[in-house]
Amino acid sequence: MGDKENETTLPGPFPPQGKKPLQKDNQHMSQPTSGNTPTNTPMIVCEGIYKWFDDFCALRNVHLTVARQEVIVILGPSGSGKSTLIRTMNRLEKHDKGRILIDGTELTDDIRKIQEVRREVGMVFQQFNLFPHLTVLDNITLAPRHVRRMPKKDAEAQAIELLTRVQIPQQAHKYPGQLSGGQQQRVAIARALAMEPKVMLFDEPTSALDPEMIKEVLDVITDLAESGMTMIVVSHEMGFARAAANRVVFMDAGEIVEVNTPDRFFSQPQEERAKTFLSQIL
Amino acid sequence: MAAIQPSPSSNDLQPPYTRTTPLSWVLQNLFNNWYNTVFTLFFGVILSYAAYRGLRFFFVTARWEIVETNLTNLMVGQFPRNELERVWAALFLLGGSGGFIAGQAKQLSTQDPTSPPPSPGREQILDFVRRAWPFTILVLFLLRLSRSTTIMLLILALVALTGAGRLIGARIPGASPKRITIFALATACATLLLLLFNGPPSQEWGGLLLTVFLSTVSILASFPLGILLALGRRSSLPAIRFVCVGYIEVIRGVPLITLLLLSTILKLFLPPNSFDPNDITRAAVVLALFTAAYVAEIMRGGFQAIPQGQIEAAQALGLVPIQTIRLIGLPQAIRKVVPALVGQFISLLKDTSLVSIIGLSDILKVSRSFTSQDDFVGKGLTAETLAAACLVYWALCFTMSKESKRLEERLGVGER
């Protein structure tokens, strides 16, 4: 559809002045959210990640380091391995080679390590994946109650708070099937936030939405970025990438082709493949 | 483009109102063209004749005295007549606590903010009639045959006790799923104790009592076993998968009758000299093992129908596999297979009639034995005895089927 053209040529809904300061070279800065954890270590380290699906090489030699509070937007043509990459970061996909460290914990076959990482990493899916048999409130309180062992009352109070933050507190007792796509995705964000994650992964969060609902979801994600959450967002929303990202990662054919600031990536991309990609979508 | 239309008034937004009178319904649906008229007349004649013969048999020509004399046999078989208080006590216990549980469950559902507002009293009564009419017919039929004031009073007391339990259950505050489960388990244990403790030997059980006992026990046992088998079949561990697939395919490949005949070898699988299962236990075990294989396949279908994204979402939230199954997989799978599952259980209830092959006197076997009694031999009263057995089976199965439909509607809340 033609919306993408509009979003990149016209000023998008996300004015660049709202962008938070770039955090270069992992310099430590005041960290209101992460308490006593060391602030100068990177949040995510990927070293030489390879992933095969049978004979198809989905990720080849991916190196990526994400600092605390950094917002990364991954762009690239479909089938380039964007989703696969972030799905290896909470072990929804097992990487075949290389090392992945999330906040210092290495992802291996050790199931306890995997659970530890999953507790700290929130994920939002393209298809929302809300649990249809549970109300909105139960969707959000499920993991805090059963994984964090939070008492029901506390979990529900927190859920209402989160629903207020994503601006749908009045839908708490409905079922996901009764909500619009945009509302469902905002519930999904609230559900991930209820685990108080250190990192949020967004796998094409607006790709399954009707055009008029994209903005309400992107607004929530942008707010979250401004609050200092470390985030990796796979997206086709160029306006969002410009406004919210600290760095843009461009992938093609399973490789990271270019990593750049959004301003420079969109105005003067360095790599030939990035130029071709941008020329196709702009 | 046409000129701008005036915006529709609220009247135009109503669906067109059509009044359907019985006559217009008949004209529209039964006599709307020549061939439908022919069909209507043809099948109308056939159905009316069949209904006439059926009703005439039931109300006029049938000689119900054969069932009348044997009513106790039909209900409990050879169960010692001086121990019948046990059965009545069990019935009262089940009625009272069943009512209490229903009341507590009602209270629980009204506490739930997602539940629809309570319907007016008249609706509730109508609803109850819609639920209970097949069973009521059966009870009235049996009462009509028994002609015993004592039994009628007992039944009335049972109904009253159930109603009282329901009212008390709805009034005692603090209902919780945990309390209901504990209460149900306690009731089940107490019932078994009442019937079995120091009670008549198992070979004297029979009739409806045996049929209901066998079906209840095997339904309750086969359901969890079937779920475990379905999960095992989907396990990533090859050994577990192999065992479960093997079990399911072997059981499904053998007729139930064969398994029942083979049940005598059951004790070969138990430690020597430990415990010699009686016929009823063996039949219940075989029925449960048999049904479990089918339940496993039904549940596997349910699990396979769950989108992968649901499991991924649960994993991403940090739920461990067993929580994922318990909180996400099972509830969704069961919702998808309620009709098939209840179908399987109805089938199980009717299959209990096969236990006569190993010498048990279920309701069908008992009713067939009446015609060889001295008083009735050679009088050709097979139809009456079989009709009575049919009515009992039908009332049980149809009630299950109606309750399953209700359950489906309730579980489907909010799903698109």
Side-chain angles (χ1 to χ4, degrees):
Chain A
M1 64 185 80
D3 300 282
K4 279 182 188 144
E5 272 174 56
N6 290 343
E7 257 187 72
T8 41
T9 49
L10 297 175
F14 309 101
Q17 59 267 30
K19 200 190 295 185
K20 69 190 170 70
L22 240 174
Q23 192 188 352
K24 283 186 186 113
D25 308 326
N26 304 339
Q27 289 299 318
H28 44 269
M29 42 191 290
S30 64
Q31 297 254 337
T33 49
S34 39
N36 54 4
T37 49
T39 54
N40 50 355
T41 56
M43 184 63 94
I44 299 175
V45 179
C46 298
E47 286 174 358
I49 307 301
Y50 283 83
K51 168 78 189 168
W52 283 271
F53 292 110
D54 295 325
D55 288 342
F56 175 72
C57 189
L59 293 177
R60 48 188 97 195
N61 199 22
V62 171
H63 289 266
L64 182 66
T65 303
V66 182
R68 282 167 202 283
Q69 300 199 320
E70 195 174 18
V71 177
I72 302 264
V73 172
I74 305 183
L75 299 174
S78 64
S80 58
K82 311 179 296 280
S83 293
T84 309
L85 176 60
I86 68 167
R87 284 162 60 86
T88 60
M89 292 177 189
N90 64 353
R91 197 66 163 192
L92 288 185
E93 304 289 355
K94 180 183 188 301
H95 55 288
D96 295 317
K97 250 170 94 178
R99 264 159 48 96
I100 300 178
L101 289 117
I102 309 289
D103 199 18
T105 308
E106 181 172 0
L107 278 170
T108 58
D109 285 334
D110 185 349
I111 188 81
R112 276 168 304 173
K113 291 276 171 61
I114 295 174
Q115 293 299 339
E116 202 177 299
V117 165
R118 284 178 177 166
R119 282 197 292 270
E120 306 299 339
V121 177
M123 189 166 208
V124 174
F125 300 85
Q126 181 179 357
Q127 298 294 341
F128 328 137
N129 295 348
L130 292 176
F131 305 126
H133 63 297
L134 300 177
T135 61
V136 165
L137 197 65
D138 290 340
N139 262 280
I140 299 175
T141 56
L142 184 82
R145 285 178 59 198
H146 290 96
V147 180
R148 291 242 188 267
R149 305 273 160 211
M150 194 189 272
K152 189 177 177 192
K153 281 241 157 55
D154 300 356
E156 287 185 346
Q158 182 207 26
I160 295 292
E161 209 171 282
L162 284 166
L163 282 173
T164 315
R165 191 164 156 193
V166 299
Q167 318 205 328
I168 36 174
Q170 68 282 10
Q171 314 285 7
H173 297 295
K174 289 195 180 161
Y175 284 88
Q178 296 165 312
L179 304 184
S180 74
Q183 289 172 330
Q184 289 192 49
Q185 192 62 301
R186 285 186 279 157
V187 172
I189 294 173
R191 180 177 70 176
L193 289 177
M195 285 294 283
E196 296 174 346
K198 295 177 183 159
V199 184
M200 284 283 284
L201 306 173
F202 290 87
D203 189 359
E204 305 204 17
T206 56
S207 300
L209 295 175
D210 289 336
E212 77 270 22
M213 291 167 186
I214 290 177
K215 184 177 178 296
E216 65 189 46
V217 172
L218 287 182
D219 283 346
V220 169
I221 301 177
T222 311
D223 279 351
L224 196 59
E226 281 162 9
S227 77
M229 176 66 79
T230 312
M231 308 201 315
I232 302 186
V233 185
V234 171
S235 181
H236 296 294
E237 300 295 331
M238 301 300 153
F240 170 75
R242 269 186 196 194
N246 298 130
R247 283 190 295 166
V248 169
V249 170
F250 174 71
M251 291 183 71
D252 188 31
E255 293 173 307
I256 292 187
V257 177
E258 179 170 345
V259 180
N260 214 333
T261 64
D263 289 342
R264 289 180 53 199
F265 179 78
F266 288 111
S267 56
Q268 35 189 310
Q270 303 297 303
E271 300 290 330
E272 207 48 50
R273 280 190 276 181
K275 285 177 194 164
T276 319
F277 174 71
L278 286 173
S279 71
Q280 277 164 351
I281 57 165
L282 290 183
Chain B
M1 288 294 278
I4 296 167
Q5 302 274 323
S7 66
S9 70
S10 60
N11 259 349
D12 295 336
L13 293 174
Q14 299 289 323
Y17 178 68
T18 44
R19 188 147 171 265
T20 312
T21 62
L23 183 66
S24 75
W25 186 89
V26 164
L27 286 176
Q28 271 171 25
N29 292 284
L30 301 178
F31 298 99
N32 54 341
N33 54 35
W34 70 266
Y35 51 86
N36 274 353
T37 310
V38 172
F39 282 141
T40 301
L41 292 174
F42 180 70
F43 288 110
V45 167
I46 289 184
L47 285 178
S48 315
Y49 183 70
Y52 165 73
R53 297 295 298 194
L55 291 173
R56 199 172 108 90
F57 166 76
F58 201 87
F59 289 105
V60 184
T61 59
R63 296 171 56 194
W64 290 116
E65 64 265 24
I66 182 167
V67 184
E68 213 173 297
T69 324
N70 287 295
L71 202 57
T72 318
N73 284 332
L74 192 69
M75 292 296 107
V76 296
Q78 295 303 307
F79 203 88
R81 296 302 182 258
N82 56 355
E83 303 249 24
L84 280 182
E85 305 85 55
R86 284 174 183 274
V87 182
W88 278 109
L91 276 178
F92 276 93
L93 180 63
L94 287 174
S97 65
F100 183 79
I101 288 172
Q104 291 268 293
K106 180 81 187 168
Q107 191 193 114
L108 207 60
S109 76
T110 45
Q111 282 168 2
D112 183 357
T114 56
S115 74
S119 40
R122 194 172 143 271
E123 267 301 306
Q124 285 187 12
I125 291 170
L126 264 179
D127 191 53
F128 181 76
V129 170
R130 270 189 230 115
R131 271 175 95 173
W133 70 265
F135 211 77
T136 314
I137 287 185
L138 174 65
V139 172
L140 290 180
F141 170 73
L142 295 173
L143 278 180
R144 168 82 185 71
L145 291 184
S146 88
R147 287 194 195 145
S148 147
T149 327
T150 327
I151 294 196
M152 190 178 294
L153 287 177
L154 280 169
I155 297 276
L156 278 179
L158 181 60
V159 172
L161 182 68
T162 310
R166 168 77 173 68
L167 286 179
I168 294 171
R171 295 244 178 334
I172 289 184
S176 69
K178 199 168 158 192
R179 184 197 275 180
I180 291 177
T181 316
I182 291 174
F183 207 83
L185 282 176
T187 309
C189 293
T191 311
L192 282 180
L193 214 61
L194 265 178
L195 289 173
L196 297 175
F197 180 71
N198 210 2
S202 65
Q203 58 267 29
E204 293 178 344
W205 284 46
L208 180 61
L209 176 67
L210 180 64
T211 298
V212 169
F213 179 79
L214 280 179
S215 1
T216 315
V217 170
S218 12
I219 286 174
L220 293 182
S222 66
F223 187 44
L225 188 59
I227 289 174
L228 288 180
L229 283 167
L231 291 172
R233 190 167 187 166
R234 290 166 59 79
S235 166
S236 53
L237 302 174
I240 293 180
R241 202 167 53 229
F242 181 78
V243 168
C244 291
V245 172
Y247 175 87
I248 292 168
E249 295 306 337
V250 165
I251 296 283
R252 291 207 307 167
V254 181
L256 177 56
I257 287 202
T258 320
L259 289 173
L260 284 168
L261 290 172
L262 270 175
S263 70
T264 39
I265 64 161
L266 187 68
K267 72 167 173 233
L268 296 183
F269 294 98
L270 295 171
N273 307 325
S274 60
F275 154 75
D276 192 9
N278 60 39
D279 287 348
I280 292 186
T281 317
R282 287 211 306 263
V285 168
V286 167
L287 286 169
L289 292 179
F290 178 79
T291 306
Y294 288 86
V295 169
E297 286 299 275
I298 292 172
M299 287 305 300
R300 181 166 69 103
F303 281 118
Q304 280 173 354
I306 299 174
Q308 185 58 29
Q310 291 290 309
I311 307 305
E312 287 179 355
Q315 289 174 339
L317 285 169
L319 297 180
V320 296
I322 197 151
Q323 289 173 325
T324 307
I325 290 170
R326 186 167 65 87
L327 300 166
I328 308 302
L330 255 188
Q332 293 193 42
I334 291 177
R335 276 171 172 73
K336 288 178 203 292
V337 298
V338 166
L341 217 44
V342 175
Q344 189 61 46
F345 291 149
I346 288 176
S347 174
L348 168 65
L349 192 148
K350 293 181 293 182
D351 282 348
T352 55
S353 56
L354 292 174
V355 299
S356 62
I357 205 95
I358 55 169
L360 292 178
S361 311
D362 73 304
I363 189 163
L364 182 65
K365 174 81 174 293
V366 165
S367 65
R368 279 162 57 83
S369 70
F370 301 160
T371 44
S372 46
Q373 289 164 344
D374 288 346
D375 292 347
F376 301 107
V377 72
K379 288 194 177 166
L381 296 179
T382 326
E384 282 80 355
T385 57
L386 288 183
C390 280
L391 185 67
V392 175
Y393 279 121
W394 169 81
L396 293 178
C397 293
F398 191 48
T399 305
M400 269 169 88
S401 152
K402 282 171 89 71
E403 291 302 313
S404 133
K405 190 148 176 286
R406 244 179 110 80
L407 187 67
E408 258 175 78
E409 282 162 8
R410 288 191 52 174
L411 290 181
V413 184
E415 283 200 88
R416 251 204 293 228

